[in-house]
Amino acid sequence: MRLLFYALIVLNFSSCYLTRAYKYRKLELNDVHRMPSVTIPKSDEPYYFTDGTKTHQYENLNTYLDTNLAKSRTAAFIVIRNDSILYERYFNGFTRQSNLPSFSVAKSFVSTLIAIAAKEGKIRSLQEPISTYFPELYKKDKRFSNITIQHLLDMRSGLHFREGTYNLKDDAIKLGFRPNLLKHALKVKIEKEPGEFKYQSINTELLALIIERATGKKISDYLHEKLWQPLGAEYSATWNVDSKRYQQEIAFAGLNATARDFAKLGQLFLQHGKWRDKQLVPASWINTINNADSMQKAGGYKNQWWSSLNYKYFKDSMSAVAFRDKKEWPGPVRKTRK
């Protein structure tokens, strides 16, 4: 009887998010392969960027980047112009075939799938209340009918979700390491009326669930069909899930792919959503994100994409250090409480 009691305690503790969060508290780039995941098969018709790395015109670029990246913690670095790779290097044991974690870049993939689902009519409007897709949320709080899909896209939902410390008490960590992510995500509550920007990964997870409920497909399957296959992914990707039992994708951070295949989403946006003479994503969606004025009006964040018009160029690392030491470097914005 005592052995059974201890066994139940161990089983219960092993399923707790604290165990997994503590295990991966110092998450390394290779750790994503140790976590449960689903596979996104490579494309049947892979697309290859043109190899422009042998061009003597860019020798200075190669020397500059080699010098600055060799002793850094960089895993992969690619410079692409038009459809040509001008520079490509891998460091610290990683190769062209290595799947690397997306972290929050996954959010931009999710929002792109929202755009595609809307184009196909699976989602009727981005102004639809999310209660259309989550009647269980509406049942517990009718204010969910005031939150639209666009609010989720712009991180302006007003949900109660504390993110930013990324310690064991952080809601994003709790969400990402729960063994039953769906159950936990649908426990979310409302903090205030939608409208004010607040970066919260729960928004992305709800967007992924909307895609699943609108299309009837898992988001990893929808990604394969609508992006991975047509973009000509050279390698299979993986998407980390909550557990082998539920296999719910960690939509806000769990996509893993090669550097080249990640780059194809950027290339798609540079081509205004068109790929191999086919319009995969509406040009209007792309133009909103690519337009500096609209992004500035949105406060630098729109449709799960960041943008900043403020930048400073340094010719070398010493200039950057000198700039920082003069205390001109703005650094992270921190809010204090009294």
Side-chain angles (χ1 to χ4, degrees), residues 110 114 130 133-134 137 144 147 149 152 157 159 175 181-182 184-188 200-213 251-252:
V110 172
I114 284 283
I130 66 172
Y133 300 92
F134 302 114
L137 291 180
F144 276 103
I147 303 172
I149 295 175
L152 296 182
S157 61
L159 296 174
L175 183 63
L181 192 157
L182 175 61
H184 187 67
L186 294 181
K187 288 181 178 179
V188 68
Q200 300 170 313
S201 291
I202 184 64
N203 292 301
T204 313
E205 198 62 45
L206 292 177
L207 287 171
L209 293 173
I210 287 173
I211 290 171
E212 292 189 359
R213 294 187 175 190
F252 57 90

Side-chain angles (χ1 to χ4, degrees), residues 8-9 14 85 101 137 172 181 221 225 236 238 277 287 295 325:
L8 289 173
I9 290 178
S14 65
I85 295 178
L137 291 180
L181 192 157
D221 293 332
E225 178 185 341
S236 295
T238 62
D277 297 323
N287 292 338
M295 289 298 284
D325 292 344

Side-chain angles (χ1 to χ4, degrees), residues 101-129:
S102 65
F103 298 112
S104 284
V105 172
K107 292 179 170 67
S108 298
F109 280 88
V110 172
S111 69
T112 303
L113 294 176
I114 284 283
I116 294 172
K119 182 189 74 168
E120 295 180 333
K122 303 292 185 181
I123 293 174
R124 290 190 293 273
S125 168
L126 298 182
Q127 301 307 319
E128 269 190 296

